[in-house]
Amino acid sequence: METDSDILAEYVEESREHLNHIESIFESIRKTGESHPDSINELFRAIHTIKGSAGFLGLTAIGTLTHAMESLLDSVREGRLTMTPDITEVLMKGSDMLADMFDDVSKSGEFDINDVVVTLKALNSGEAPPAAAPAKAAKKTAAKAAAAPADGASQMSVSDVLAKFPELAGTVPQPPPAAAPAPAAPAAAPAPAAAAAPSSQALKAAAAATDAKHEEFLRIKVDLLDRLMMLAGELVLVRNQQLMHLEQSDATLRSITQSLDSVTTELQETIMRTRMQPIGSVFSRFSRMTRDLARKLNKTINFVTDGDEVELDKNILEAIGDPLTHLVRNACDHGIEPQADRDAAGKTDPPTVTLSAYHESGQIHVDVKDNGKGMGHEAIRRKCLEKRLKTEDELARMSENDLLNLVFLPGFSTAQVISDVSGRGVGMDVVKTGVEKFGGSVSLTSVEGQGSTVKLRLPLTLAIIPSLIVQSGEERFAIPQVNLEELVCLYDKDAFTRIECAGAREVFRLRDTLLPMVRLREALARQRMFDEDALSEVTEQNSEARKELANKFKEAEESGHSMHYSLNFAVLRSGGLRFGLIIDRIHGSEEIVVKPMHRAVKSISLYSGATVLGDGKVAMILDAAGLARHYNVRDVSGGKDQKKQKAATEEGAELRSLLLFSNGGNEQFGVSMQDVKRVEAIETSTIERIGSQEYVTLDGVSTRVVRLEDGLQVQSSSQPENMFFLIPQNARKPYGLLVEKLVDSGHYEVKLNKESYKTDGVEGTALIKKKMTVLVNLEQLMQLVDGMWYGGNV
């Protein structure tokens, strides 16, 4: 049998859902300027449900406020009143106050609801709303709360209240005589006295008043979902161990393991989806906030959202609320300039703040964009010198990208006046720290006079993540693949001739971009952050080691002996910064379960967590942003990536990381590097055929082979002896794309054309390296080839 506390908790949760729905309806009314009868009915039902259960549970103040809101909505519903801006505004205030009351429901009776109730009743009776009282809506005053009883649900009459609190005489609105009820009061019977104990029949009656669409949902406690997620993670570990110890010769065991792998993957994804919620639930709160800020700042600001349906893990969704609040406030205050300044600059487009979310490369991207004044590099330089955050020499060596990233330093602010909106320099560093705490990253782009965009990259979930397992010394580490761009292996002489020195740093020229290099061994060996002296020391030591290696190669050549050497590094991205991480060995990819770190190592910024590998040993998860900070990594490309991105954006293109390949004839294709888990070179003789389908065994698992010509009208491959197998990220089932030849990989300016070659499985076409390139969507291609196998159950 449910206890009173269980019933109350369930009521609070249901009420919050109703309030979220109410907020979305108000937002729709505000955007369209129209109030459809169905919307008014939905508002009325939601408020009526909250009111009814409040009476059963003795929540007097909530009952009073909802009754007044319900009466006003009933008048609108019956056509006695029109949904004017004044009525919408006071109803939204009532909704906001209810949200505050449900945040601390045990003290909801202490909220001062008097002003809102008086305004609601005045509007309902056709009177002009009273003059606004000083801002005190959320002030908790037990006496005033007691002075605003719910009609028909109070344990204390008005005369009783006045007798107990004489200082309130003249401030409490007297209820109308019993014989003359308020004309807009709904026909529903008044709630019983709070003294009545909640009964199962009463709760069922309240539940029956909810919208019919809620009946198809089952309420589950979050801790139960967390437990399911943890168990799914443990099952992934068991699966990994099974794959590692699989005997290649046992065909039956291979088949069972393949089924285990498929079921585990599908179970994991299904449980993850139970925790996913649309980001629109967070976006919706900023429309009201932007409107209020615009009024306070005496500006006119349009607020636009896009991608409200994009889903994120509940924990991440809760964590990004504060960072987004800082960013939206900054965009309104710093970004959007006064209208007089916009007119003087010749701007004709309306001042706009845009909040958008979209999927890209296995991550969720959230952009906060404004079309305001942008950020001037000189202003940033002056502010850094003024606050002594950097020296003149340090600033002179910085690229445009480095200068922009200085806004994330603690204490940085370009505001001329400190206000209650912003200006104390505690915003952008909070954003960066908060986002990086759960494995995300932040980058900033800005064009002076045109506006700024802050991009957040967020992981889909924090529980199970695909990672690259690497080794340094005797220890293994995991690198989340959301930070991984590509792997590079240098052989023989290239290993010591292509690593160069730029000042006190080691760099590598990857195609046409200089990459700063980080040696994982050195990073792990030093407890303190690298300064210029430490970097010079390490660079000098490694320079001597390369010279020694070069001499050994020369001696081997002169003596007629062969000598082999290799150097591996991973290209990582953290925010807008790219660097190469030199490692000793690459073990391969693995889905890992994130475990919390022990308190003894929790303060070490190089790690973001720990995991248990398939062989049962523990590996630390490397934090790309922490590594970059610890090694004092800077952009040594002169901001080339940012300049290319800026140029691409101005031309209507975007800078994308692509793997290019060909597949028979001269046709060129491309896929996003972030969508590719790994590339395997395979012999075509190892491909087995079952019916019309092809398979190849990888890591002991039979993996479906997909060819481009299976789903697209393209030339067939010429079937060479050796081909390449592209294994996608986050695939629901084991499959890969077989391609004939790898052309190149890198960052390319992509101006996507979706009309020239329009078909399923293809994003569009673009001119890359002076050649028409078809950009393939791997998941859509697999659905096209065999949607029943890919989307169905095992």
Side-chain angles (χ1 to χ4, degrees):
M1 184 176 180
E2 288 185 301
T3 63
D4 287 351
S5 60
D6 292 334
I7 295 171
L8 180 62
E10 185 174 349
Y11 165 66
V12 169
E13 190 61 32
E14 285 182 354
S15 298
R16 284 176 174 156
E17 290 179 7
H18 286 306
L19 289 173
N20 286 336
H21 185 49
I22 289 169
E23 182 71 22
S24 66
I25 295 174
F26 279 135
E27 182 60 24
S28 175
I29 292 173
R30 188 192 68 79
K31 284 183 177 179
T32 62
E34 299 178 357
S35 53
H36 195 273
D38 289 344
S39 299
I40 302 301
N41 287 331
E42 287 187 48
L43 288 172
F44 179 85
R45 285 196 296 269
I47 292 297
H48 181 72
T49 302
I50 296 174
K51 170 196 164 181
S53 299
F56 297 135
L57 294 170
L59 301 173
T60 306
I62 292 176
T64 299
L65 179 55
T66 51
H67 179 77
M69 294 172 69
E70 179 189 54
S71 299
L72 183 56
L73 281 167
D74 189 59
S75 293
V76 175
R77 189 175 63 157
E78 296 296 329
R80 293 190 293 270
L81 293 174
T82 304
M83 196 73 167
T84 63
D86 283 343
I87 289 178
T88 303
E89 188 69 25
V90 73
L91 287 171
M92 291 176 73
K93 283 183 180 179
S95 177
D96 290 344
M97 185 171 287
L98 286 172
D100 291 338
M101 295 167 86
F102 282 116
D103 284 341
D104 192 0
V105 71
S106 63
K107 297 183 180 178
S108 60
E110 300 178 11
F111 279 76
D112 180 6
I113 62 173
N114 189 58
D115 291 343
V116 177
V117 170
V118 169
T119 305
L120 286 164
K121 289 185 176 182
L123 288 169
N124 193 27
S125 62
E127 300 174 7
K136 57 179 180 178
K139 180 182 177 183
K140 297 179 182 180
T141 310
K144 289 189 178 182
D151 296 354
S154 176
Q155 299 182 62
M156 189 179 293
S157 67
V158 174
S159 57
D160 291 335
V161 174
L162 293 176
K164 188 170 183 179
F165 303 100
E167 69 274 18
L168 295 179
T171 67
V172 181
Q174 298 295 321
S199 63
S200 59
Q201 291 83 2
L203 289 172
K204 287 178 182 177
T210 60
D211 202 54
K213 64 183 179 181
H214 291 292
E215 294 176 2
E216 63 189 61
F217 295 100
L218 176 66
R219 195 182 308 280
I220 299 177
K221 292 183 179 179
V222 174
D223 58 353
L224 180 59
L225 290 179
D226 290 340
R227 176 69 177 166
L228 281 173
M229 181 66 81
M230 187 192 74
L231 291 174
E234 296 300 327
L235 185 58
V236 169
L237 292 179
V238 173
R239 186 270 312 272
N240 292 345
Q241 292 172 352
Q242 178 71 14
L243 291 175
M244 183 170 290
H245 296 92
L246 181 65
E247 289 292 337
Q248 299 294 327
S249 59
D250 192 332
T252 303
L253 186 57
R254 280 208 313 272
S255 177
I256 295 173
T257 302
Q258 179 184 348
S259 296
L260 172 66
D261 184 31
S262 299
V263 171
T264 300
T265 301
E266 192 160 346
L267 177 64
Q268 167 202 333
E269 291 179 349
T270 303
I271 293 175
M272 283 172 58
R273 284 200 295 271
T274 65
R275 295 175 51 86
M276 305 295 271
Q277 294 183 337
I279 200 168
S281 61
V282 174
F283 282 5
S284 61
R285 76 176 70 163
F286 296 112
S287 177
R288 180 82 177 277
M289 187 185 85
T290 303
R291 195 164 63 253
D292 292 344
L293 280 175
R295 190 181 299 117
K296 176 179 279 190
L297 298 168
N298 196 25
K299 298 178 181 178
T300 300
I301 301 176
N302 293 333
F303 181 75
V304 179
T305 64
D306 184 34
D308 293 37
E309 71 286 351
V310 172
E311 293 187 330
L312 264 176
D313 186 282
K314 177 179 180 294
N315 289 342
I316 300 177
L317 204 61
E318 292 173 350
I320 65 171
D322 286 344
L324 287 179
T325 299
H326 283 295
L327 294 176
V328 173
R329 290 170 71 91
N330 275 352
C332 294
D333 192 17
H334 297 321
I336 301 297
E337 63 270 62
Q339 189 58 46
D341 294 348
R342 295 180 69 87
D343 293 340
K347 289 188 175 183
T348 57
D349 52 333
T352 304
V353 173
T354 304
L355 201 54
S356 58
Y358 53 95
H359 286 270
E360 186 179 289
S361 305
Q363 292 178 287
I364 299 296
H365 291 238
V366 179
D367 295 351
V368 182
K369 181 179 180 181
D370 68 75
N371 62 350
K373 61 185 178 183
M375 303 185 70
H377 296 96
E378 282 304 318
I380 295 175
R381 283 192 179 94
R382 287 196 303 271
K383 188 60 65 173
C384 284
L385 291 173
E386 177 187 320
K387 291 185 171 289
R388 299 181 179 179
L389 298 173
K390 295 289 180 181
T391 65
E392 288 190 10
D393 289 340
E394 289 175 321
L395 292 172
R397 293 195 299 266
M398 287 186 177
S399 65
E400 290 185 1
N401 187 39
D402 286 333
L403 279 171
L404 281 176
N405 282 322
L406 292 177
V407 303
F408 294 108
L409 290 174
F412 184 93
S413 174
T414 57
Q416 300 298 318
V417 178
I418 294 176
S419 68
D420 58 349
V421 176
S422 58
R424 298 189 181 275
V426 293
M428 297 302 281
D429 66 308
V430 171
V431 170
K432 185 177 177 66
T433 303
V435 172
E436 290 179 351
K437 188 179 295 182
F438 51 82
S441 62
V442 185
S443 61
L444 169 66
T445 57
S446 184
V447 179
E448 191 169 3
Q450 297 182 26
S452 303
T453 302
V454 180
K455 292 180 174 288
L456 309 184
R457 290 183 175 189
L458 309 170
L460 285 169
T461 180
L462 300 179
I464 302 172
I465 55 175
S467 298
L468 178 72
I469 309 302
V470 301
Q471 184 169 330
S472 180
E474 298 299 320
E475 300 297 327
R476 283 178 292 173
F477 302 88
I479 301 175
Q481 291 203 9
V482 295
N483 299 122
L484 180 66
E485 288 205 344
E486 59 184 293
L487 295 172
V488 178
C489 187
L490 303 178
Y491 294 100
D492 300 336
K493 289 185 179 181
D494 284 348
F496 54 83
T497 58
R498 295 188 60 187
I499 301 288
E500 308 169 26
C501 293
R505 300 168 189 275
E506 290 184 290
V507 297
F508 176 80
R509 188 172 295 279
L510 182 63
R511 291 177 284 275
D512 59 348
T513 303
L514 277 180
L515 277 182
M517 303 301 289
V518 172
R519 293 183 180 266
L520 184 55
R521 276 178 176 263
E522 300 290 348
L524 297 172
R526 290 179 181 260
Q527 295 182 2
R528 294 187 178 182
M529 184 183 294
F530 284 68
D531 55 18
E532 292 297 318
D533 292 338
L535 283 171
S536 297
E537 180 185 338
V538 170
T539 301
E540 182 64 29
Q541 290 174 355
N542 289 310
S543 178
E544 293 297 324
R546 289 197 302 274
K547 289 178 183 177
E548 186 177 336
L549 187 60
N551 291 332
K552 288 183 179 179
F553 262 85
K554 185 176 180 181
E555 292 172 2
E557 285 181 349
E558 292 174 350
S559 63
H561 296 96
S562 61
M563 182 175 176
H564 300 288
Y565 183 78
S566 64
L567 182 143
N568 303 306
F569 67 86
V571 180
L572 306 185
R573 178 180 288 274
S574 173
L577 188 65
R578 298 168 70 228
F579 63 94
L581 180 66
I582 299 176
I583 48 189
D584 294 343
R585 184 181 173 191
I586 298 169
H587 285 275
S589 300
E590 189 172 314
E591 284 188 330
I592 63 171
V593 180
V594 181
K595 301 288 186 181
M597 291 193 294
H598 190 276
R599 60 179 178 273
V601 293
K602 202 167 186 178
S603 60
I604 302 177
S605 62
L606 297 181
Y607 309 125
S608 60
T611 189
V612 179
L613 299 177
D615 60 1
K617 293 185 178 179
V618 174
M620 303 303 293
I621 303 171
L622 294 175
D623 183 340
L627 272 170
R629 284 195 303 269
H630 183 73
Y631 215 84
N632 196 11
V633 177
R634 290 181 184 170
D635 181 11
V636 293
S637 66
K640 194 167 186 178
D641 280 353
Q642 188 189 24
K643 290 174 183 175
K644 286 174 67 178
Q645 178 68 70
K646 179 180 175 182
T649 302
E650 290 174 351
E651 295 175 6
E654 61 175 324
L655 200 62
R656 296 178 64 172
S657 177
L658 297 175
L659 174 64
L660 304 179
F661 59 90
S662 62
N663 193 66
N666 294 318
E667 297 173 346
Q668 181 165 288
F669 304 87
V671 293
S672 172
M673 289 278 288
Q674 295 294 335
D675 289 343
V676 179
K677 187 175 185 178
R678 72 178 196 265
V679 179
E680 292 278 351
I682 66 170
E683 297 178 1
T684 51
S685 60
T686 62
I687 298 175
E688 303 175 70
R689 180 176 289 273
I690 301 177
S692 62
Q693 299 177 359
E694 294 180 303
Y695 293 88
V696 65
T697 301
L698 291 177
D699 300 327
V701 176
S702 296
T703 304
R704 176 77 181 272
V705 174
V706 178
R707 299 174 185 262
L708 281 177
E709 56 265 33
D710 293 341
L712 305 178
Q713 292 183 356
V714 298
Q715 295 183 37
S716 299
S717 67
S718 57
Q719 287 290 89
E721 292 183 2
N722 296 293
M723 299 182 72
F724 296 92
F725 201 51
L726 277 55
I727 303 172
Q729 287 276 24
N730 305 319
R732 299 182 195 174
K733 294 187 177 180
Y735 81 94
L737 179 65
L738 192 66
V739 303
E740 189 170 319
K741 181 182 178 182
L742 300 182
V743 176
D744 198 2
S745 64
H747 288 78
Y748 303 98
E749 292 181 13
V750 175
K751 194 170 184 178
L752 196 63
N753 182 340
K754 296 185 179 182
E755 301 301 325
S756 297
Y757 187 75
K758 198 171 184 179
T759 183
D760 291 337
V762 169
E763 289 186 54
T765 62
L767 189 65
I768 300 175
K769 300 185 75 170
K770 299 181 179 180
K771 191 173 181 64
M772 176 179 168
T773 304
V774 178
L775 300 183
V776 179
N777 184 309
L778 290 177
E779 184 171 5
Q780 286 184 10
L781 178 64
M782 190 60 234
Q783 288 277 11
L784 190 65
V785 171
D786 195 344
M788 185 177 295
W789 175 84
Y790 185 71
N793 295 323
V794 178

